[in-house]
Amino acid sequence: MAFSMLQLFLLGALGPRLVDELGISPATLGLTTTIGFGTAAVLSPVGGRIVDRIGPRRSLVALLLVSAGALALIGAASGTGFLLAAVALGGLPQALANPATNKAILAAVVPARRGSVTGMKQSGVQLGAFVAGLPLAALASGVGWRGAVWTASGTALAVAAWAMRALPADPPAKETSLRASLVPRGVLAWLAGFSLLLGSGIASVNTYLALFGVQELGMSPSMAGALVAVLGVAGIAGRVGWAKAARPGRAEWLPGWLAAGAVGAALLLAGALLAHPLVWVAATAVGVFAVAGNAVSMVLVMQRAAPGRAGQDSALVSAGFFAGFALGPPVFGALAEAGRYGPGWLLVAAEFAAAGAVAFAWAVRESRPSKAVPA
């Protein structure tokens, strides 16, 4: 999970260096997120069916190998076009990550522990944020941003070799239909809508938090990278804690409350323009509330997935999340390029508020007793 989205966090944490060395604009930096997650959103529905067909081990090894290739190409980028093509390749691992890991949990973990284990594995994404924001950003200060990205690529290759040896063998590949509906329905539609709005806000924070620190708060690039690391650590704690708490009967209400907390976090980011230390509190709150929302969504998917459809259902909800990641940063990027970070963070707050409204509407609907059908 850490490697599936590591490119996103690296582009955010190393954003100030990329803007300076490659001469890309803040809006173009946001476009990298749009390209990567747009690709992931398009590929996710089919990716989930592929995971159901070939099994989680093969899927996870493929994920790591493609991640290594995408990171290597990002490190070799000489201009905007090359960089965007490499980022697009990195969308494939994102499309495979949730279906493969969720299916592995359903196969290997007893139901009573699935919530806490899901939180731990979802926290891998935030581990990637921490690694990008602290050790890799620090490494970039010594060997350059390309050396830091290539180090991440080599590590992904090593983990792929470990996964091939350590994970249980997949059952024989089975035939599954790749023509099943690509449109989420029922609970999946609600969760996909919530995820789209939540992802729009989170992606803007991930992409522009470090650049905001440098351009508006007077931070050094290394200190701004530490902001991304704080976001990552808080996200780990939030995903583990809230996913463990997401038991049936309570899990349905958690997405709405987490989105409400995320609104407060976005308002703190806007407030940091007046009181700079608030940015550290805001980064922590985004991790604890907003980032944790996706982990709770995955718990709900596994609680409700039909037999044999865990990969497909996970992929449909993930597609909504990735679509949000593709849509959010370009709009924020236009505001950032104009130096209007305050309105940008208010936009993020509005996106989180809309996500909360969707989540609460669904929870109220789920809490209503079903009407008995007369005999």
Side-chain angles (χ1 to χ4, degrees), residues 325-340:
F325 266 70
L327 295 173
V331 180
F332 192 103
L335 294 170
E337 196 159 5
R340 303 183 64 195

Side-chain angles (χ1 to χ4, degrees), residues 182-202:
L182 301 181
V183 179
R185 292 182 172 85
V187 61
L188 298 180
W190 286 95
L191 290 174
F194 165 76
S195 298
L196 186 150
L197 292 163
L198 187 75
S200 296
I202 294 174

Side-chain angles (χ1 to χ4, degrees), residues 253-266:
W253 293 96
L254 278 179
W257 290 116
L258 292 175
V263 172

Side-chain angles (χ1 to χ4, degrees), residues 119-204:
M120 285 188 284
K121 74 97 174 175
Q122 289 294 126
S123 73
V125 175
Q126 301 314 304
L127 176 63
F130 173 79
V131 170
L134 201 58
L136 286 177
L139 182 63
S141 298
V143 302
W145 70 268
R146 295 182 191 275
V149 175
W150 286 330
T151 298
S153 174
T155 307
L157 284 176
V159 176
W162 168 83
M164 179 66 76
R165 293 176 59 86
L167 296 179
D170 291 317
K174 60 182 180 180
E175 291 296 322
T176 59
S177 173
L178 298 180
R179 298 182 179 179
S181 174
L182 301 181
V183 179
R185 292 182 172 85
V187 61
L188 298 180
W190 286 95
L191 290 174
F194 165 76
S195 298
L196 186 150
L197 292 163
L198 187 75
S200 296
I202 294 174
S204 296

Side-chain angles (χ1 to χ4, degrees), residues 132-360:
L134 201 58
L136 286 177
L139 182 63
S141 298
V143 302
W145 70 268
R146 295 182 191 275
V149 175
W150 286 330
T151 298
S153 174
T155 307
L157 284 176
V159 176
W162 168 83
M164 179 66 76
R165 293 176 59 86
L167 296 179
D170 291 317
K174 60 182 180 180
E175 291 296 322
T176 59
S177 173
L178 298 180
R179 298 182 179 179
S181 174
L182 301 181
V183 179
R185 292 182 172 85
V187 61
L188 298 180
W190 286 95
L191 290 174
F194 165 76
S195 298
L196 186 150
L197 292 163
L198 187 75
S200 296
I202 294 174
S204 296
V205 177
N206 286 342
T207 305
Y208 288 103
L209 181 60
L211 199 61
F212 171 63
V214 171
Q215 293 185 340
E216 298 294 325
L217 307 185
M219 293 180 170
S220 68
S222 295
M223 184 64 71
L227 268 180
V228 180
V230 167
L231 172 62
V233 172
I236 291 172
R239 286 189 163 189
V240 171
W242 290 117
K244 186 176 182 180
R247 296 187 292 272
R250 177 188 294 173
E252 292 79 4
W253 293 96
L254 278 179
W257 290 116
L258 292 175
V263 172
L267 294 177
L268 286 173
L269 283 170
L273 286 166
L274 300 175
H276 293 183
L278 283 178
V279 73
W280 298 98
V281 181
T284 302
V286 169
V288 170
F289 295 110
V291 171
N294 185 244
V296 174
S297 295
M298 289 297 107
V299 173
L300 283 164
V301 168
M302 287 192 287
Q303 288 175 352
R304 294 163 179 261
R309 281 191 54 94
Q312 299 176 39
D313 291 355
S314 299
L316 289 174
V317 174
S318 295
F321 193 59
F322 295 149
F325 266 70
L327 295 173
V331 180
F332 192 103
L335 294 170
E337 196 159 5
R340 303 183 64 195
Y341 278 97
W345 297 132
L346 294 179
L347 172 64
V348 170
E351 291 164 345
F352 288 151
V358 170
F360 279 128

Side-chain angles (χ1 to χ4, degrees), residues 51-79:
V51 171
D52 284 337
R53 171 180 288 183
I54 69 174
R57 186 176 79 162
R58 296 185 187 97
S59 300
L60 289 170
V61 171
L63 179 163
L64 289 160
L65 291 175
V66 177
S67 292
L71 287 165
L73 291 173
I74 288 172
S78 57

